Amino acid sequence: SALWRCPDNTCVPCIGSLMGLGDIISQQLVERRGLQEHQRGRTLTMMSLGCGFVGPVVGGWYKVLDRFIPGTTKVDALKKMMLDQGGFAPCFLGCFLPLVGALNGLSAKDNWAKLQRDYPDALITNYYLWPAVQLANFYLVPLHYRLAVVQCVAVIWNSYLSWKAHRL
């Protein structure tokens, strides 16, 4: 449907909303903050990150990946998944986590310590979910729908990332 088609492959408002939803799930279901203790600024930060960082970066990555490996065979999908998970995912997480820390006012020293503490676990957890999702995504989903499909799955991932990124 046209609603899910992303002509520029970024779906920025959609991604911002889904990142915000992930944070709401994190705060309400995982952290059990309740509505009175909900940190609205944190949700807005995650939405802003979705619009200003995640959407453009991941959408751009999918375009580059599709140019680099243009096919849609099972072997092409496997190659894309390997590049995505072996190259992009570690770099993306290594940028995302300290970006959240900086936006939350962590000093460079505290942000570095938090990254060293949280990055290995976040990357390992990434590997439990994303290789299978991305293999199916690269094999079955046309380029202009990939980011939207991934972001639907990512609501759960975003909940985890929000929890991980905001845990002190």
Side-chain angles (χ1 to χ4, degrees):
S1 96
L3 176 65
W4 287 101
R5 183 174 169 85
C6 307
D8 65 353
N9 201 31
T10 59
C11 285
V12 169
C14 176
I15 292 165
S17 298
L18 292 172
M19 293 281 297
L21 178 60
D23 180 68
I24 291 168
I25 291 169
S26 176
Q27 290 193 55
Q28 297 305 315
L29 299 180
V30 178
E31 299 166 41
R32 301 188 185 278
R33 288 183 176 274
L35 295 178
Q36 296 296 329
E37 299 298 317
H38 187 88
Q39 297 173 345
R40 288 168 185 80
R42 175 177 143 178
T43 300
L44 289 173
T45 296
M46 293 300 286
M47 291 176 73
S48 298
L49 280 168
C51 291
F53 178 71
V54 176
V57 170
V58 176
W61 166 244
Y62 286 161
K63 289 178 184 177
V64 167
L65 194 57
D66 224 49
R67 283 191 199 112
F68 189 63
I69 304 170
T72 58
T73 67
K74 290 178 186 174
V75 171
D76 295 327
L78 183 61
K79 289 177 186 176
K80 289 177 186 179
M81 185 275 294
M82 295 298 288
L83 271 175
D84 181 67
Q85 293 300 300
F88 180 77
C91 294
F92 179 81
L93 279 173
C95 293
F96 180 83
L97 292 172
L99 182 57
V100 173
L103 291 173
N104 286 330
L106 289 182
S107 69
K109 181 181 176 185
D110 290 343
N111 209 358
W112 176 247
K114 184 167 176 24
L115 180 65
Q116 288 179 306
R117 182 190 76 202
D118 292 347
Y119 179 82
D121 184 54
L123 187 60
I124 290 167
T125 303
N126 168 84
Y127 290 139
Y128 283 114
L129 174 64
W130 288 110
V133 170
Q134 291 293 55
L135 193 57
N137 195 35
F138 294 135
Y139 184 60
L140 301 172
V141 180
L143 175 63
H144 57 271
Y145 291 109
R146 285 186 193 148
L147 192 57
V149 168
V150 163
Q151 285 304 308
C152 288
V153 174
V155 168
I156 300 303
W157 177 246
N158 294 338
S159 299
Y160 167 79
L161 269 187
S162 182
W163 169 77
K164 180 64 89 176
H166 291 93
R167 201 175 56 128
L168 297 177

